[in-house]
Amino acid sequence: MITIGQLARYVGVSIKTIRVYHDKGLLPEPDRDASGYRRYDAIDLIKIRTLAEAGVPLARIRDLRSATDEEFQQALREIDNELTDRIRGLQATQGRLRELAAGQLAPLPTEVGAHLANLARWRFTPRWVDLQRDLWILVFATYPDRAVTLFHDQAETLANPALRQLFLDYDHAHDLDPDDPRIDDLARRIAETTRERYGPDEPPELDAASEIPALIQGTVNASSPAWQRLDILIRAQLDT
């Protein structure tokens, strides 16, 4: 049992941090000894600091104080798994950063390049081909594992002439007036085809927390009022 100053030095935190832990209900305020000093148990603070450094929110740490030993051990396993995922993500980011620094950022996979060449052969506009190239560069750079699944799903879709025509119609709708009735018809056909293709299941997507799909769709919508209205109509019909 030691004083607050000794505890701060021993554990490697500031006295102010210990006071914050008191205020948040993580660390109980101990009674004073015969000399008038409050004496602390270093083990409690070490637990709190370790969990905080692992990125565990203080509110969750506070809740763990009342957990049973079994619940505490389960929480530690979950935290360990979360750390493992974060470490893998950081290592992947570090690898891409080093490739960028060395001027060796990996190009798109060969099959994606072939796919982009097919888009031009299938009469997609240069604008659409460029958009698709930029999209896949972004997705493969940030989610290389999921990108493969997403790419194969799109490649399979475009291999079907009837489905490919929907994408061609989407591409060529870029310059239409947003109120053109062809926009409504195209939105209906895309929504119907999506339901037929995936049924009650969701189409393949990136991590639910990823902001990239919204970024991509926002960029697409900003380039064409007609595409923006198409997106709104498709989402509305798929949500009904």
Side-chain angles (χ1 to χ4, degrees):
M1 303 294 288
I2 56 180
T3 66
I4 189 171
Q6 293 169 328
L7 179 64
R9 290 192 298 272
Y10 177 71
V11 178
V13 298
S14 67
I15 293 177
K16 182 178 179 180
T17 296
I18 296 176
R19 292 301 184 194
V20 169
Y21 292 164
H22 283 313
D23 293 341
K24 299 292 185 181
L26 280 71
L27 193 65
E29 190 82 43
D31 295 329
R32 297 183 184 275
D33 63 13
S35 302
Y37 290 103
R38 295 189 185 278
R39 298 286 178 173
Y40 292 80
D41 184 347
I43 298 300
D44 282 344
L45 183 57
I46 291 173
K47 288 180 179 179
I48 295 169
R49 188 199 65 177
T50 302
L51 291 170
E53 288 179 343
V56 181
L58 295 185
R60 187 178 180 189
I61 297 175
R62 184 183 61 240
D63 293 340
L64 288 176
R65 286 189 54 79
S66 59
T68 65
D69 184 63
E70 182 179 350
E71 291 171 339
F72 187 73
Q73 292 300 321
Q74 176 61 30
L76 290 183
R77 287 191 290 271
E78 293 173 358
I79 293 167
D80 184 82
N81 290 336
E82 292 168 5
L83 276 176
T84 299
D85 291 341
R86 285 165 53 192
I87 290 169
R88 288 173 178 166
L90 287 171
Q91 288 174 333
T93 300
Q94 183 184 54
R96 293 194 297 271
L97 182 63
R98 289 174 176 173
E99 289 176 345
L100 181 62
Q104 298 174 347
L105 194 61
L108 286 171
T110 303
E111 59 182 339
V112 179
H115 173 73
L116 294 174
N118 282 336
L119 293 180
R121 183 169 59 83
W122 287 329
R123 303 189 315 281
F124 282 93
T125 64
R127 174 191 58 242
W128 183 270
V129 176
D130 289 344
L131 179 66
Q132 293 298 306
R133 183 197 64 239
D134 292 346
L135 181 157
W136 289 120
I137 287 174
L138 178 60
V139 174
F140 271 92
T142 52
Y143 291 89
D145 295 334
R146 293 290 298 136
V148 174
T149 299
L150 292 171
F151 170 72
H152 286 164
D153 180 75
Q154 186 183 101
E156 179 182 331
T157 299
L158 292 179
N160 182 313
L163 298 180
R164 182 166 66 242
Q165 187 60 51
L166 282 178
F167 280 83
L168 279 165
D169 291 345
Y170 195 115
D171 175 17
H172 296 150
H174 180 275
D175 297 323
L176 292 178
D177 186 283
D179 295 322
D180 192 305
R182 286 173 288 182
I183 297 292
D184 298 81
D185 178 65
L186 178 57
R188 177 189 56 77
R189 288 189 287 129
I190 291 175
E192 289 177 353
T193 300
T194 300
R195 289 197 193 95
E196 292 172 2
R197 180 167 172 73
Y198 299 105
D201 299 325
E202 293 289 335
E205 59 182 11
L206 296 178
D207 185 279
S210 173
E211 297 180 358
I212 290 179
L215 172 64
I216 292 172
Q217 192 61 57
T219 302
V220 169
N221 291 348
S223 70
S224 164
W227 280 358
Q228 182 178 29
R229 185 161 184 268
L230 255 178
D231 179 47
I232 293 172
L233 291 173
I234 293 169
R235 289 176 186 273
Q237 293 188 40
L238 290 177
D239 288 341
T240 58

